[in-house]
Amino acid sequence: SSRLVRACPMSQMGWKKEVQSFRGHQFEFLHFDVCDEPEEIEGLEDAEGMLGACFWDEASSLMLNFLKESKNSYATSTVIELGAGCGFLGVALAAEGADVWVTELGPLVPLMQANVELNPGLRLKAAELDWSREDQHPDRIFDVVVMCEVSMSTT
């Protein structure tokens, strides 16, 4: 027999603010998710329909664990996150002290910028980067390149 499963009537898609930590350093980030009381955020309408605006908890947690095991500290590192979506990994590394650029396609840049602004004092920059355009490539060298659950299509 089949069962009917219903979502909580209060749950809806919207902007959710969360607090996480990386090696004891707390940070905040916004992402698009199912939530009971969505945050009212102006200027992110273009990002709402994009997969990159969602937080993929399992993949991101696995990647953070990998990063913890790979290096004792990122505090003196320069880092670029490619296909950053909401910028979760980059914000986590910046919370530890890294100098980080979180990069993504145009519609997600305002979301990444909102996450930069949620974490004042971090060495964290949001930038548009389309890998297929050489005129958008950064003019600096990074110690660490991170990406998680990235896809790219030119069509």
Side-chain angles (χ1 to χ4, degrees):
S1 81
S2 62
R3 283 184 6 193
L4 179 61
V5 178
R6 294 188 184 170
C8 172
M10 294 298 293
S11 294
Q12 56 188 315
M13 291 299 289
W15 294 107
K16 184 175 185 179
K17 186 188 303 183
E18 287 192 46
V19 176
Q20 294 268 350
S21 67
F22 179 63
R23 293 188 176 149
H25 303 278
Q26 284 197 332
F27 60 93
E28 291 184 273
F29 71 107
L30 282 170
H31 59 98
F32 201 67
D33 205 341
V34 175
C35 51
D36 293 335
E37 297 181 30
E39 298 281 330
E40 296 292 328
I41 309 293
E42 296 281 327
L44 297 181
E45 297 81 14
D46 290 343
E48 287 181 1
M50 300 192 72
L51 287 174
C54 299
F55 175 59
W56 305 98
D57 187 34
E58 293 80 7
S60 297
S61 296
L62 183 65
M63 187 62 173
L64 273 186
N65 285 333
F66 172 79
L67 291 169
K68 282 181 197 174
E69 297 296 321
S70 298
K71 192 169 178 168
N72 289 334
S73 173
Y74 292 88
T76 60
S77 299
T78 57
V79 178
I80 186 168
E81 183 179 4
L82 302 175
C86 66
F88 174 80
L89 292 176
V91 176
L93 294 173
E96 189 183 33
D99 180 5
V100 180
W101 282 25
V102 288
T103 65
E104 187 50 271
L105 296 174
L108 290 167
V109 173
L111 173 57
M112 294 186 312
Q113 186 59 43
N115 285 326
V116 168
E117 292 167 9
L118 278 176
N119 296 280
L122 299 185
R123 297 184 302 156
L124 183 59
K125 175 184 177 177
E128 181 174 359
L129 177 60
D130 179 339
W131 308 339
S132 67
R133 294 185 47 190
E134 285 189 37
D135 64 322
Q136 286 190 359
H137 291 185
D139 59 352
R140 64 184 288 189
I141 296 173
F142 295 90
D143 302 321
V144 179
V145 177
V146 295
M147 60 181 88
C148 182
E149 297 244 318
V150 174
S151 64
M152 172 74 176
S153 174
T154 57
T155 59

